[in-house]
Structures are given as C-alpha cells and as structure tokens.
Amino acid sequence: MNKDLKKNVFFISSFVLYLGILLLIMQLRSDGYYPFPKTWPEDRLLLIVLPHTILLALFIIRYAFLLVSQSEIKTFPIKKKWGYIFFGTIPLIAMVLICKLHIMQADYFKPVGYTMDFEILFAFVGLAIFPMLGYWCYVLIKKRFFPALFLMGVLLSSIILKFIPLFLFPITAKRSDLLPIVEEAAKSILRGEHIYRYYLLDNNIMTQNVRLFGLVFLFLPAVIFQLDIRLTTIFFEFVMFLTIFFSIPKTHRIQAGRQTTIILSILFFAFLPYWHYRHELYEIPFWFLTFLTLLFLNRKAFWPAFLLTGLMIGTHQWGWLFAPFILIHIFLHKGLKHSLLGGMIAVLLGWAIIMMGSGLHWHEFYQHIFGTYEITLQVRVNTLSMYFTPFFLKNNLTFLLHPIQLTIQIFLMVLVFKKGDKTESLAGILALSLTGMLLFNVVAWTYQYLLVSFLLFLGTYFRSIREAEESLF
C-alpha cells in the first residue's frame, strides 16, 4: 500500500468488531423480561436466552484467545470519508437510543418515582451534541482527523448524557438495590458501625450487604457531602478514560489510522445505550483500579501493582479472583521471591481493608458475602440472565457448579504460566476467568459482562501500544 493511500484510510481491526458484537449482545439482552411477557413459561424464556449466552461465550473465548495466542490482528482499511461518516453517526444514533431507553424506563418505573421531563432530557442532549458538533466543524476547517480532540469530544458528550438520570430518576431499591445498599453501608461507616448488617430499604425489604469495604469507602465522599452517589461513578468513568488515553505514548497517540481500534472501542463504551440506561451501577471504581494495575504491570512497575492488587482485593470479590493471575504474571517477570513478598503485601493490604469494614464481625461478614449466595441457589435463579446455572438447577446438577468453576480457574492458571507474560495476554485470561465464573455462578447479571468486555478492550489497548512501540525500533 503506497503512502498516499495510507494517508487516506483508517484501519479497523477485527478486535473492535468483536467488541462491538459483545456490546450489541448485552444491549439486546439487557435485563429483566422485556420485551417478553412475564406470563411466558420458564422453559420458553430459557430457550430465548440460551442463544444469547452461547454467542456471548463464543465471542469472548475467541477474542481472548486471539490476545493470549498473540495471533496476527486482521485489519480492514476504510477510506477516511467513510470513517468520518462512521465516527460522526455513531454518537447521534446512540443519543437517539439513549433518549428512547430513558423515556421507556421513565414510563415503566413511574410507579416507583421515575419522571420524564422532556425539557430536561432534550436540554442535556442538546448540550451533549455541542462537543461533537464543534469537533466536526474544526475538522472541516483543518481538513484532517484529530484523535485526541475527537476522544475529548466523545468523553465530554457521554458524561453530559450521564447527568440525565440524576435529574429525572431517583436512587431507589424499588428499581434496583445496587446503589441503595452502598449508600446505606456508607452511612453505617459514618455512624461508626460495621457494614455487614441487613438494611431496610425503601422497597420495605431487609437487604443484606454483599459489597466490600473498599468499594463502599470510595463512595463515602459523596455521602458525606450529601451528593448523589452516582456522581462517584461518573467521576471515576471520566478519569479512567482520560487516563487510558493519556497513557498512550505520544508517538502513537497522534497516528489516526493506527489508533482507530482504541478510538472506536472507547466510542462504543462511552455511548453504549445499555450503560446509560443502567444508571445505578457501582463497579466503575473497581474497573479503574483494574486498569491502573494492568498499566503498572505493562510498565514493569511491579511494586505499585502489588499495592493496587491489594486495593482490588479489598474493593471487590473479583479482586480475589484476579489476584492469583496477576501474581503469576509478576512471577514470570520477577521470580518467586518478589512475587511471594509482593503477594503477601497485597493480601495483607486487602485483608486490612476488609477488616476495617467487618469490625471483626466475621460471622456477619461470612453470612453476607457467602451465605447470601448459598441461600439464593436454594431459593431461585434468574431465568433471563446469560448463564447456564438455570439448566443445572432444572436437572438437579447444581452440585457440579463449583467444581466446574474451579476446573476452569485451574486450567487458566496453567495457561497464564505458559502464555501470560504479556499484559494483553493477562487481560485476555482475566476476561476468561471472569466469564468462567459468571457462566456457572449462582448470580450473573448482564451488566457484569461489561467488565469482561472492558478487560478484552484493555488487552487490545496494551497490545496496540506494544506493537506501536516495537515498530519504532
């Protein structure tokens, strides 16, 4: 391909296509019964969800093994004029879908306090259009694509859109108990109490706390200043994507064609309608810690990575899952002595965080963190979630779930010993690890697969950076 042609094309990798498909499956499946009637028999609903689950699993496995095996990335050149159309229309289409979903949920959850004020909705959408419109006017004047400015416009627009639910929809357990539990646990900290207790939420249900102290602590500033705690997730999301972009080497950041994969990946996440619809999610602070950990590992800064791994352990149960793989990755680079010492520091730090939240009430801690799920399996599973547990329950095979999960994790630990020396390989294996847990877990919600997709994106991100750096030598 001659230089003139290279200047006039973008290169879209197969990875960004896989990511788009994964996010599309989550968007279509979403949560709950919609658009299916609740009166439908369980067997019919299970058969509807099964293809979504199989497709999701297959694409995750394929995507992850491309990262782990270091296979060549297929790229598809598109002319810049089509690229401009592509980049320009995705945000507009997404904004329309986001508005549609907000209108739908305002109507569906109207009995629990949701309202729809079209003046507020369209005012924020109008504000969100300005950064993108301003960018494209600048492109028309300068007649070239600016990756940095485009991503700044994407992030500003998406963050403006994230404020819509703060003005229209309350945080209520009648819709979801995810954030209400975090908020009540944070209030317990302020009262000097341990957080592992039952809370009477506004749905009149006594609800257990399955969150770890580290996560609750990150939401504490918003509770102290009596702010909407969704501002915490918006803040971490914005800082995370800014850090992701500014962590790209400058020599790589300015290459528009090479950067198409990262640009589109962030664009897909930032404007994913499902993510805007689920305004009460809480996991973004843990995403940020996971990214920082992988970033330091990629830069061979292992001691900060040990400390961040400790924070992950104290913040989310997935930190417990990821920690062994991270420590094996460090062992491949630094040997047994450093990995053992750093691992001890990480575990002790994570344990100290957990102890701060439990107040040494270990029985309550166990009952809330583990007992809750043991009871759940005995009572019910979510028929419409993308996992295989309902089929095991129907056939009285639930005793096989934990052995299957353990077998998958052992296989992946062997894999990380053999193939996990590169950051992108580790990210792919972490995505497989989490997928293996969710597919056979007691509880699995669609939003939890967003972290799987994010890990796969990070694998692509670190691989792209490595290949760009290698091309300079």
Side-chain angles (χ1 to χ4, degrees), residues 65-91:
F65 273 98
L66 283 175
L67 290 171
V68 173
S69 65
Q70 304 294 311
S71 299
E72 183 180 355
I73 303 176
K74 292 182 179 179
T75 57
F76 306 93
I78 58 171
K79 290 185 178 181
K80 277 200 172 183
K81 64 177 181 180
W82 292 110
Y84 291 161
I85 294 172
F86 197 49
F87 293 143
T89 55
I90 287 178

Side-chain angles (χ1 to χ4, degrees), residues 360-368:
L360 301 181
H361 290 76
W362 298 119
H363 176 72
E364 290 86 348
F365 172 79
Y366 179 85
Q367 287 301 318
H368 285 257

Side-chain angles (χ1 to χ4, degrees), residues 278-458:
R278 292 301 307 269
H279 58 92
E280 83 294 1
L281 300 183
Y282 62 92
E283 286 192 326
I284 298 302
F286 179 73
W287 288 30
F288 185 48
L289 289 176
T290 303
F291 163 65
L292 288 181
T293 304
L294 292 175
L295 179 63
F296 279 109
L297 289 176
N298 195 60
R299 295 181 175 181
K300 305 296 186 292
F302 295 112
W303 289 109
F306 283 130
L307 295 176
L308 284 163
T309 302
L311 294 178
M312 290 172 64
I313 292 171
T315 300
H316 201 293
Q317 287 89 330
W318 299 144
W320 306 353
L321 180 67
F322 295 164
F325 297 99
I326 292 171
L327 296 178
I328 293 171
H329 173 85
I330 295 174
F331 164 76
L332 296 176
H333 289 273
K334 297 294 290 184
L336 186 61
K337 180 180 177 182
H338 280 80
S339 55
L340 281 178
L341 179 59
M344 288 175 59
I345 293 172
V347 171
L348 288 173
L349 175 58
W351 187 248
I353 294 171
I354 291 171
M355 285 179 63
M356 290 170 63
S358 68
L360 301 181
H361 290 76
W362 298 119
H363 176 72
E364 290 86 348
F365 172 79
Y366 179 85
Q367 287 301 318
H368 285 257
I369 298 299
F370 299 102
T372 298
Y373 299 108
E374 295 172 1
I375 295 171
T376 299
L377 189 59
Q378 296 171 9
V379 178
R380 63 179 289 274
V381 295
N382 184 10
T383 304
L384 289 171
S385 285
M386 291 187 289
Y387 64 157
F388 298 126
T389 302
F391 299 96
F392 282 76
L393 185 62
K394 286 181 65 67
N395 294 284
N396 296 315
L397 295 173
T398 54
F399 65 92
L400 293 175
L401 291 173
H402 290 324
I404 291 173
Q405 287 177 316
L406 182 60
T407 301
I408 292 172
Q409 301 309 313
I410 291 173
F411 166 76
L412 293 175
M413 285 185 186
V414 174
L415 185 62
V416 80
F417 266 112
K418 293 183 176 181
K419 300 284 188 178
D421 59 322
K422 290 185 171 58
T423 312
E424 62 260 34
S425 300
L426 175 62
I429 291 170
L430 292 181
L432 289 173
S433 173
L434 181 52
T435 302
M437 288 296 295
L438 291 175
L439 288 175
F440 302 96
N441 210 29
V442 176
V443 174
W445 301 102
T446 299
Y447 76 84
Q448 292 174 311
Y449 288 103
L450 285 171
L451 177 54
V452 175
S453 297
F454 183 67
L455 287 166
L456 293 171
F457 157 66
L458 290 181

Side-chain angles (χ1 to χ4, degrees), residues 147-148 245-256 259 299 465 468-469 472:
F245 178 73
F246 286 107
S247 298
I248 302 172
K250 289 184 179 180
T251 53
H252 186 36
R253 196 185 305 160
I254 61 174
Q255 300 175 36
Q259 279 302 104
R299 295 181 175 181
I465 290 175
E469 290 173 341
L472 296 176

Side-chain angles (χ1 to χ4, degrees), residues 181-199:
I181 283 293
V182 173
E183 189 167 20
E184 291 301 319
K187 291 176 181 177
S188 289
I189 295 174
L190 295 179
R191 292 192 296 264
E193 303 169 346
H194 72 89
I195 63 176
Y196 296 105
R197 58 182 69 242
Y198 283 87
Y199 299 94

